[in-house]
Amino acid sequence: MSSTTKEKQEVTPDFLREQFINFYGQNSKEEIRMFASPARINIIGEHIDYNGGMVFPAAIDKYLYCAIRKRPDTKIVYNDLFFPGTFTFDVNETFVFDEKNDYANFLNGILSCMKKRGQTLNCGFDCLIASNVPSAGGISSSSALECGFAWAVNETYGFNISRKDIALMGQQSEHEFMNVNCGIMDQYIIATGKKDTAELLDCSKVEHEYVPLNLGDYRFIVMNTKKKRRLADSKYNERRSQCEEGLAVLKAAKIDLKTPGKVTNTGNLEDLCSLNPVQFEECASAIKDPVILKRVRHCVTEMDRVVKAVEALKANNLTELGQLLYSSHNSLKNDYEVTGLELDTLVEVASKQKGCIGARMTGAGFGGCAIALVHKDDAELFIENVQKEYTAVVGYNGGFFACSSGDGVREIK
């Protein structure tokens, strides 16, 4: 999404409804419907959603809001409170990506997918978007937009698309329309999340288990690098292709594995995360390229950390969870190489603060956000200290907020 925005303020559904009327006027015949779509943090399990792994995200209480109202004609009109420009289309046209359409591409990508499913819009609509989710911040502003808009259209037109299919549609739109070869995690947690839980999501089966998110006196603090970046322009797709290369090498090697696991021979590997860490050591010598070896090692060890993190949370062992967060960040820094000065600075400085028991980057990396697990009594001083030291290193301020878990996409009555 474009970085050229109006001055942001915290948006409420009531405020957005008022602004909708200012943009589009009163219309007593059709109802203005309001929808909320959450941001997410990934507690642990980074860059393994597209490698058949399990990830552990949670929806959080930062929301994008979408107001929508049917029109009597076939026009589609988009506006956003903070992103400039009005975009107008027609329900009968074939939607294609066009850079000049900015954020409207995310919305048109969803409509394109709906058309491919055979869904038909019998009239046009007016739509107004406003988000409290930091844009390009690594907590899924684009997926919140896609899934929130998809759910709004789904409910407004009575398409009866399931939450799981809303998530899959968001991923399909990224792949086919936005040319970002993303995994399923972001869209899935945003579409299906529940307050007071995190989701252990098996990305290979697209199945999930809700896990109670009992943090006691601790809170997750989101730390935004505010580094300018675009996911499609990053090395995200390069990392994915490197993982595919590593998998191909292991499959071709057809190494018998002595240690019990999901597979007994690498020739039968369906994905990298089917290997456990001991099995990886048995077959690692087959990968001659040191860079590919590091990428594969991250995937295997990160999958192991996810399993251990869920066990730690279920056992109320937050200290163990925190240590796994640090280990995850180090792997993302050294083996997957997706952190950088800004994220590394945040995590390093956070780790030295009173009350912090764990921290890691979250999201695709290359900028974006990190999270820290901090005692609620120390949160204010934590933010003050980390902000000061971060600014001293990188030359500009980051953004910080404490968060709680939230619900997935929903209509606000």
Side-chain angles (χ1 to χ4, degrees), residues 29-58:
K29 294 181 181 179
E30 293 290 347
E31 175 189 8
I32 301 171
R33 300 181 69 171
M34 305 287 298
F35 297 84
S37 182
R40 67 97 184 98
I41 58 172
N42 188 25
I43 297 172
I44 199 164
E46 220 61 75
H47 284 282
I48 58 174
D49 57 339
Y50 52 84
N51 284 298
M54 292 192 293
V55 293
F56 197 43

Short mmCIF file of all heavy atoms in Angstrom, two decimals, residues 29-58:
data_model
loop_
_atom_site.label_atom_id
_atom_site.label_comp_id
_atom_site.label_asym_id
_atom_site.label_seq_id
_atom_site.Cartn_x
_atom_site.Cartn_y
_atom_site.Cartn_z
N LYS A 29 -32.63 3.71 1.53
CA LYS A 29 -33.04 2.43 0.96
C LYS A 29 -32.07 1.30 1.30
O LYS A 29 -32.47 0.15 1.45
CB LYS A 29 -33.16 2.54 -0.57
CG LYS A 29 -34.29 3.46 -1.03
CD LYS A 29 -34.35 3.49 -2.55
CE LYS A 29 -35.46 4.44 -3.02
NZ LYS A 29 -35.51 4.50 -4.51
N GLU A 30 -30.78 1.63 1.39
CA GLU A 30 -29.79 0.58 1.64
C GLU A 30 -29.05 0.86 2.95
O GLU A 30 -28.74 2.01 3.29
CB GLU A 30 -28.78 0.51 0.48
CG GLU A 30 -29.38 0.04 -0.83
CD GLU A 30 -29.77 -1.43 -0.82
OE1 GLU A 30 -29.36 -2.15 0.11
OE2 GLU A 30 -30.46 -1.85 -1.76
N GLU A 31 -28.72 -0.20 3.66
CA GLU A 31 -28.06 -0.12 4.95
C GLU A 31 -26.54 0.02 4.79
O GLU A 31 -25.94 -0.61 3.92
CB GLU A 31 -28.39 -1.40 5.73
CG GLU A 31 -27.69 -1.56 7.05
CD GLU A 31 -27.90 -2.93 7.65
OE1 GLU A 31 -28.46 -3.82 6.96
OE2 GLU A 31 -27.46 -3.13 8.80
N ILE A 32 -25.95 0.87 5.62
CA ILE A 32 -24.48 0.89 5.72
C ILE A 32 -24.09 -0.23 6.66
O ILE A 32 -24.51 -0.27 7.81
CB ILE A 32 -23.98 2.24 6.27
CG1 ILE A 32 -24.41 3.40 5.38
CG2 ILE A 32 -22.45 2.21 6.39
CD1 ILE A 32 -24.13 4.77 5.99
N ARG A 33 -23.26 -1.15 6.19
CA ARG A 33 -22.82 -2.26 7.02
C ARG A 33 -21.35 -2.08 7.36
O ARG A 33 -20.55 -1.67 6.51
CB ARG A 33 -23.09 -3.60 6.33
CG ARG A 33 -24.57 -3.81 6.05
CD ARG A 33 -24.88 -5.12 5.39
NE ARG A 33 -24.66 -6.26 6.27
CZ ARG A 33 -25.04 -7.51 5.97
NH1 ARG A 33 -25.65 -7.76 4.81
NH2 ARG A 33 -24.80 -8.51 6.80
N MET A 34 -21.01 -2.41 8.60
CA MET A 34 -19.66 -2.16 9.12
C MET A 34 -18.99 -3.48 9.49
O MET A 34 -19.59 -4.34 10.14
CB MET A 34 -19.74 -1.29 10.38
CG MET A 34 -20.47 0.02 10.19
SD MET A 34 -19.51 1.21 9.24
CE MET A 34 -18.11 1.42 10.31
N PHE A 35 -17.72 -3.60 9.10
CA PHE A 35 -16.98 -4.82 9.36
C PHE A 35 -15.60 -4.48 9.94
O PHE A 35 -15.00 -3.47 9.59
CB PHE A 35 -16.81 -5.64 8.07
CG PHE A 35 -18.13 -6.09 7.51
CD1 PHE A 35 -18.88 -5.26 6.68
CD2 PHE A 35 -18.64 -7.34 7.81
CE1 PHE A 35 -20.11 -5.67 6.17
CE2 PHE A 35 -19.86 -7.77 7.32
CZ PHE A 35 -20.60 -6.93 6.50
N ALA A 36 -15.14 -5.37 10.81
CA ALA A 36 -13.82 -5.20 11.44
C ALA A 36 -12.94 -6.37 11.09
O ALA A 36 -13.38 -7.52 11.05
CB ALA A 36 -13.96 -5.10 12.97
N SER A 37 -11.66 -6.08 10.83
CA SER A 37 -10.69 -7.11 10.46
C SER A 37 -9.41 -6.86 11.25
O SER A 37 -8.87 -5.75 11.22
CB SER A 37 -10.41 -7.03 8.96
OG SER A 37 -9.52 -8.04 8.54
N PRO A 38 -8.92 -7.86 11.99
CA PRO A 38 -7.80 -7.61 12.90
C PRO A 38 -6.43 -7.68 12.22
O PRO A 38 -6.25 -8.30 11.18
CB PRO A 38 -7.92 -8.77 13.90
CG PRO A 38 -8.42 -9.90 13.05
CD PRO A 38 -9.39 -9.26 12.07
N ALA A 39 -5.48 -7.04 12.87
CA ALA A 39 -4.07 -7.33 12.57
C ALA A 39 -3.73 -8.65 13.26
O ALA A 39 -4.56 -9.24 13.96
CB ALA A 39 -3.19 -6.21 13.09
N ARG A 40 -2.51 -9.10 13.06
CA ARG A 40 -2.08 -10.32 13.73
C ARG A 40 -0.63 -10.20 14.12
O ARG A 40 0.14 -9.45 13.53
CB ARG A 40 -2.29 -11.55 12.84
CG ARG A 40 -1.40 -11.59 11.59
CD ARG A 40 -0.18 -12.45 11.79
NE ARG A 40 0.72 -12.40 10.65
CZ ARG A 40 1.78 -11.63 10.57
NH1 ARG A 40 2.08 -10.81 11.55
NH2 ARG A 40 2.56 -11.66 9.50
N ILE A 41 -0.27 -10.94 15.15
CA ILE A 41 1.14 -11.20 15.39
C ILE A 41 1.35 -12.69 15.21
O ILE A 41 0.42 -13.49 15.41
CB ILE A 41 1.59 -10.78 16.81
CG1 ILE A 41 0.77 -11.49 17.89
CG2 ILE A 41 1.54 -9.27 16.96
CD1 ILE A 41 1.29 -11.28 19.31
N ASN A 42 2.52 -13.06 14.78
CA ASN A 42 2.87 -14.48 14.79
C ASN A 42 3.78 -14.68 15.99
O ASN A 42 4.89 -14.15 16.03
CB ASN A 42 3.59 -14.88 13.50
CG ASN A 42 3.79 -16.38 13.42
OD1 ASN A 42 3.05 -17.14 14.03
ND2 ASN A 42 4.79 -16.81 12.67
N ILE A 43 3.29 -15.42 16.97
CA ILE A 43 4.06 -15.60 18.19
C ILE A 43 5.37 -16.32 17.88
O ILE A 43 6.44 -15.93 18.35
CB ILE A 43 3.23 -16.37 19.23
CG1 ILE A 43 1.99 -15.54 19.61
CG2 ILE A 43 4.06 -16.70 20.48
CD1 ILE A 43 1.00 -16.28 20.48
N ILE A 44 5.28 -17.35 17.04
CA ILE A 44 6.49 -18.06 16.60
C ILE A 44 6.13 -18.92 15.39
O ILE A 44 4.98 -19.30 15.20
CB ILE A 44 7.08 -18.92 17.76
CG1 ILE A 44 8.55 -19.26 17.47
CG2 ILE A 44 6.24 -20.14 18.04
CD1 ILE A 44 9.31 -19.75 18.71
N GLY A 45 7.13 -19.20 14.57
CA GLY A 45 6.91 -20.00 13.37
C GLY A 45 7.00 -19.15 12.12
O GLY A 45 6.01 -18.97 11.43
N GLU A 46 8.19 -18.63 11.85
CA GLU A 46 8.33 -17.65 10.76
C GLU A 46 8.92 -18.27 9.50
O GLU A 46 9.89 -19.03 9.57
CB GLU A 46 9.22 -16.50 11.22
CG GLU A 46 8.73 -15.17 10.75
CD GLU A 46 7.36 -14.84 11.28
OE1 GLU A 46 7.24 -14.50 12.47
OE2 GLU A 46 6.38 -14.93 10.50
N HIS A 47 8.31 -17.94 8.37
CA HIS A 47 8.76 -18.40 7.05
C HIS A 47 8.68 -19.93 6.92
O HIS A 47 9.42 -20.51 6.12
CB HIS A 47 10.18 -17.92 6.74
CG HIS A 47 10.23 -16.48 6.34
ND1 HIS A 47 9.89 -16.03 5.09
CD2 HIS A 47 10.58 -15.37 7.06
CE1 HIS A 47 10.03 -14.71 5.04
NE2 HIS A 47 10.43 -14.29 6.22
N ILE A 48 7.81 -20.55 7.68
CA ILE A 48 7.60 -21.99 7.48
C ILE A 48 6.17 -22.29 7.05
O ILE A 48 5.86 -23.44 6.76
CB ILE A 48 7.98 -22.82 8.72
CG1 ILE A 48 7.19 -22.42 9.95
CG2 ILE A 48 9.48 -22.74 8.97
CD1 ILE A 48 7.43 -23.33 11.16
N ASP A 49 5.31 -21.27 6.96
CA ASP A 49 3.95 -21.54 6.52
C ASP A 49 3.92 -22.01 5.06
O ASP A 49 3.07 -22.81 4.68
CB ASP A 49 3.04 -20.33 6.72
CG ASP A 49 3.51 -19.06 6.03
OD1 ASP A 49 4.72 -18.95 5.72
OD2 ASP A 49 2.66 -18.18 5.80
N TYR A 50 4.89 -21.58 4.26
CA TYR A 50 4.94 -22.05 2.87
C TYR A 50 5.90 -23.23 2.72
O TYR A 50 6.20 -23.65 1.60
CB TYR A 50 5.32 -20.90 1.92
CG TYR A 50 6.57 -20.14 2.28
CD1 TYR A 50 7.83 -20.60 1.91
CD2 TYR A 50 6.48 -18.94 2.97
CE1 TYR A 50 8.97 -19.90 2.23
CE2 TYR A 50 7.63 -18.22 3.30
CZ TYR A 50 8.86 -18.70 2.92
OH TYR A 50 10.00 -17.99 3.25
N ASN A 51 6.37 -23.76 3.84
CA ASN A 51 7.22 -24.95 3.81
C ASN A 51 6.57 -26.13 4.54
O ASN A 51 7.25 -27.03 5.01
CB ASN A 51 8.58 -24.63 4.44
CG ASN A 51 9.46 -23.82 3.51
OD1 ASN A 51 9.81 -24.28 2.43
ND2 ASN A 51 9.80 -22.60 3.92
N GLY A 52 5.24 -26.09 4.62
CA GLY A 52 4.50 -27.20 5.22
C GLY A 52 4.53 -27.24 6.72
O GLY A 52 4.18 -28.25 7.33
N GLY A 53 4.95 -26.16 7.35
CA GLY A 53 5.11 -26.15 8.80
C GLY A 53 3.87 -25.74 9.55
O GLY A 53 2.83 -25.40 8.97
N MET A 54 3.98 -25.78 10.87
CA MET A 54 2.94 -25.28 11.75
C MET A 54 3.39 -23.93 12.30
O MET A 54 4.56 -23.76 12.65
CB MET A 54 2.67 -26.26 12.89
CG MET A 54 2.03 -27.56 12.44
SD MET A 54 1.40 -28.58 13.79
CE MET A 54 2.93 -29.04 14.61
N VAL A 55 2.47 -23.00 12.36
CA VAL A 55 2.76 -21.66 12.85
C VAL A 55 1.82 -21.36 13.99
O VAL A 55 0.84 -22.06 14.22
CB VAL A 55 2.64 -20.62 11.72
CG1 VAL A 55 3.73 -20.83 10.67
CG2 VAL A 55 1.26 -20.70 11.05
N PHE A 56 2.12 -20.28 14.73
CA PHE A 56 1.39 -20.03 15.97
C PHE A 56 1.02 -18.56 16.09
O PHE A 56 1.54 -17.84 16.94
CB PHE A 56 2.26 -20.48 17.16
CG PHE A 56 1.50 -20.66 18.44
CD1 PHE A 56 0.27 -21.28 18.49
CD2 PHE A 56 2.06 -20.20 19.63
CE1 PHE A 56 -0.41 -21.44 19.68
CE2 PHE A 56 1.39 -20.34 20.83
CZ PHE A 56 0.15 -20.98 20.85
N PRO A 57 0.10 -18.10 15.25
CA PRO A 57 -0.29 -16.69 15.27
C PRO A 57 -1.48 -16.42 16.20
O PRO A 57 -2.16 -17.33 16.66
CB PRO A 57 -0.71 -16.45 13.82
CG PRO A 57 -1.31 -17.77 13.40
CD PRO A 57 -0.51 -18.83 14.12
N ALA A 58 -1.71 -15.14 16.44
CA ALA A 58 -2.88 -14.68 17.18
C ALA A 58 -3.39 -13.39 16.53
O ALA A 58 -2.59 -12.54 16.13
CB ALA A 58 -2.55 -14.43 18.65
#
